């Protein structure tokens, strides 16, 4: 009887210690994560509110404006989940349901993909106008703009959200008191293949965007070499670099590190923390709206 009670006490202690140590981030990693998400929440919130006031005053139905409106929405959705991340990193314990953990975890990835998509749409439209293939690209009715936006969101809700929320956490057993620890899913070949596909696609598209923007800038410099900073076209193309710089600074490091992380996910315990840090950098893309407002774009 005594031995059985002793065994139960030992098992309870092991379980208790496991739940405490399940939070694997060091104090330095926690500080970086808390700082990154706090900056994204503060700057992104101010930028989204300021841009909303700017958009309300605009009467244009351009595709670019519609893309920016959707950008405000997707940033807003991410920012709604950031306080829950901060609560977890500060208190080292997830007090909400695991289902909600999946939603919060999925949102940062969905935000990254949608932001990248809206950036590409905006750049392509501006380049079409630059090359004079189109004088202006507008929706002739608000209904058309709503329908185009709704199509994008329906695809996200129907295809992306179920994949993240349903498939997350199916390959292993996860502690309810921890969150954002779904690395066991990377043991599946299908998940690895999907990750590699996304990484290659984003890296290639980014290279194309950067190369084309440099080509356009060189062309503009040759055309207006004597009055660059006073010419509106040059300033417009420089502002286009904001989108590409956000992609290179916020999105590309995460995807490049992701290649190494997938291959060595089980080799080093701290790789998970590094992956979370690179992922937190993607949330800083929310500062783009603030930069647009401050620069008068």
């Amino acid at each position: 009887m005594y031995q059985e009670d002793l065994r139960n006490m030992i098992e309870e202690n092991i379980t208790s210690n496991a739940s405490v140590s399940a939070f694997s981030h060091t104090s330095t990693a926690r500080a970086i994560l808390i700082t990154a998400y706090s900056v994204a929440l503060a700057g992104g919130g101010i930028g989204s509110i300021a841009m909303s006031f700017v958009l309300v005053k605009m009467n244009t139905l351009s595709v670019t404006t519609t893309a920016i409106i959707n950008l405000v929405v997707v940033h807003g959705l991410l920012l709604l989940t950031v306080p829950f991340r901060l609560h977890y990193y500060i208190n080292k314990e997830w007090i909400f349901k695991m289902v909600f953990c999946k939603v919060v975890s999925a949102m940062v990835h969905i935000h990254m993909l949608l932001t990248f998509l809206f950036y590409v749409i905006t750049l392509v439209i501006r380049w079409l106008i630059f090359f004079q293939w189109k004088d202006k690209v507008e929706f002739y009715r608000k209904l058309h703009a709503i329908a185009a936006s709704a199509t994008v969101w329906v695809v996200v809700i129907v295809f992306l959200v179920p994949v993240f929320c349903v498939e997350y956490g199916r390959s292993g057993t996860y502690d309810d008191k921890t969150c954002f620890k779904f690395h066991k899913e990377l043991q599946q070949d299908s998940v690895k293949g999907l990750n590699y596909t996304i990484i290659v696609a984003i890296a290639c598209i980014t290279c194309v965007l950067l190369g084309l923007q440099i080509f356009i800038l060189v062309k503009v410099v040759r055309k207006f070499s004597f009055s660059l900073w006073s010419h509106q076209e040059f300033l417009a193309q420089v502002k286009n670099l904001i989108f590409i710089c956000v992609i290179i600074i916020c999105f590309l490091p995460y995807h490049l590190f992701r290649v190494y992380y997938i291959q060595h996910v089980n080799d080093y315990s701290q790789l998970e923390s590094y992956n979370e840090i690179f992922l937190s950098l993607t949330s800083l893309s929310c500062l783009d709206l603030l930069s647009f407002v401050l620069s008068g774009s």
Side-chain angles (χ1 to χ4, degrees):
M1 187 69 178
Y2 175 76
Q3 292 180 345
E4 184 178 351
D5 291 339
L6 181 61
R7 189 186 309 112
N8 291 334
M9 290 177 61
I10 293 174
E11 290 178 354
E12 289 177 0
N13 289 332
I14 292 174
T15 302
S16 177
N17 292 334
S19 63
V20 172
S21 63
F23 187 89
S24 58
H25 302 305
T26 63
S27 58
T28 303
R30 282 181 61 229
I32 295 174
L33 290 168
I34 292 171
T35 301
Y37 283 113
S38 297
V39 171
L41 181 61
I46 295 172
S48 296
I49 294 172
M51 182 59 76
S52 297
F53 281 110
V54 173
L55 292 171
V56 166
K57 297 178 182 179
M58 298 178 65
N59 295 319
T60 179
L61 292 175
S62 69
V63 177
T64 301
T65 303
T66 303
I68 296 300
I69 292 173
N70 282 277
L71 203 57
V72 173
V73 174
V74 74
H75 284 348
L77 291 175
L78 174 67
L79 294 177
L80 288 176
T81 66
V82 169
F84 300 100
R85 281 184 172 270
L86 290 174
H87 181 277
Y88 174 65
Y89 293 134
I90 292 172
N91 295 283
K92 303 181 183 180
E93 183 178 347
W94 184 257
I95 63 174
F96 309 100
K97 298 293 184 180
M98 180 55 64
V99 173
F100 188 60
C101 169
K102 294 180 181 181
V103 173
V104 175
S105 182
M107 192 60 233
V108 71
H109 295 281
I110 293 173
H111 167 264
M112 178 169 44
L113 295 175
L114 282 179
T115 300
F116 182 79
L117 174 63
F118 292 132
Y119 280 180
V120 173
I121 292 174
T122 303
L123 287 170
V124 169
I125 296 303
R126 291 167 73 95
W127 288 340
L128 287 176
I129 297 173
F130 172 80
F131 287 112
Q132 297 181 347
W133 291 337
K134 293 283 186 180
D135 293 332
K136 57 182 179 179
V137 183
E138 293 186 353
F139 292 109
Y140 294 102
R141 294 183 181 180
K142 289 184 178 180
L143 182 61
H144 295 165
I146 295 174
S149 300
T151 300
V152 174
W153 286 103
V154 166
V155 170
V156 171
I157 293 172
V158 172
F159 294 101
L160 287 182
V161 173
V163 169
F164 280 107
C165 295
V166 177
E167 296 298 328
Y168 254 30
R170 293 188 62 181
S171 298
T173 302
Y174 298 96
D175 187 355
D176 289 338
K177 293 185 179 180
T178 62
C179 193
F180 318 126
K181 293 173 66 71
F182 301 110
H183 56 278
K184 294 178 183 177
E185 310 301 320
L186 293 174
Q187 296 175 354
Q188 300 182 48
D189 292 335
S190 59
V191 175
K192 287 183 179 180
L194 178 61
N195 274 267
Y196 285 135
T197 301
I198 294 174
I199 292 168
V200 171
I202 289 181
C204 291
I205 293 174
T206 301
C207 290
V208 171
L209 294 177
L210 180 61
L212 187 55
Q213 187 60 60
I214 292 175
F215 169 78
I216 292 174
L217 278 172
V218 171
K219 188 173 182 179
V220 172
V221 168
R222 289 178 177 176
K223 185 176 181 180
F224 307 106
S225 57
F226 297 103
S227 57
L228 278 179
W229 293 104
S230 62
H231 201 281
Q232 185 178 0
E233 184 59 53
F234 176 74
L235 296 177
Q237 295 304 325
V238 169
K239 289 176 180 178
N240 281 350
L241 283 175
I242 294 178
F243 294 102
I244 300 176
C245 286
V246 171
I247 294 174
I248 293 174
I249 295 173
C250 297
F251 297 159
L252 210 55
Y254 169 73
H255 286 91
L256 294 179
F257 174 77
R258 190 78 172 168
V259 176
Y260 181 83
Y261 177 67
I262 293 173
Q263 296 174 349
H264 303 277
V265 63
N266 296 318
D267 295 348
Y268 311 102
S269 59
Q270 286 304 310
L271 277 182
E272 184 183 347
S273 293
Y274 299 152
N275 183 68
E276 283 295 312
I277 291 172
F278 278 107
L279 185 62
S280 69
L281 293 179
T282 67
S283 68
L284 296 179
S285 62
C286 292
L287 300 178
D288 57 357
L289 297 179
L290 184 60
S291 68
F292 297 156
V293 173
L294 294 178
S295 65
S297 299

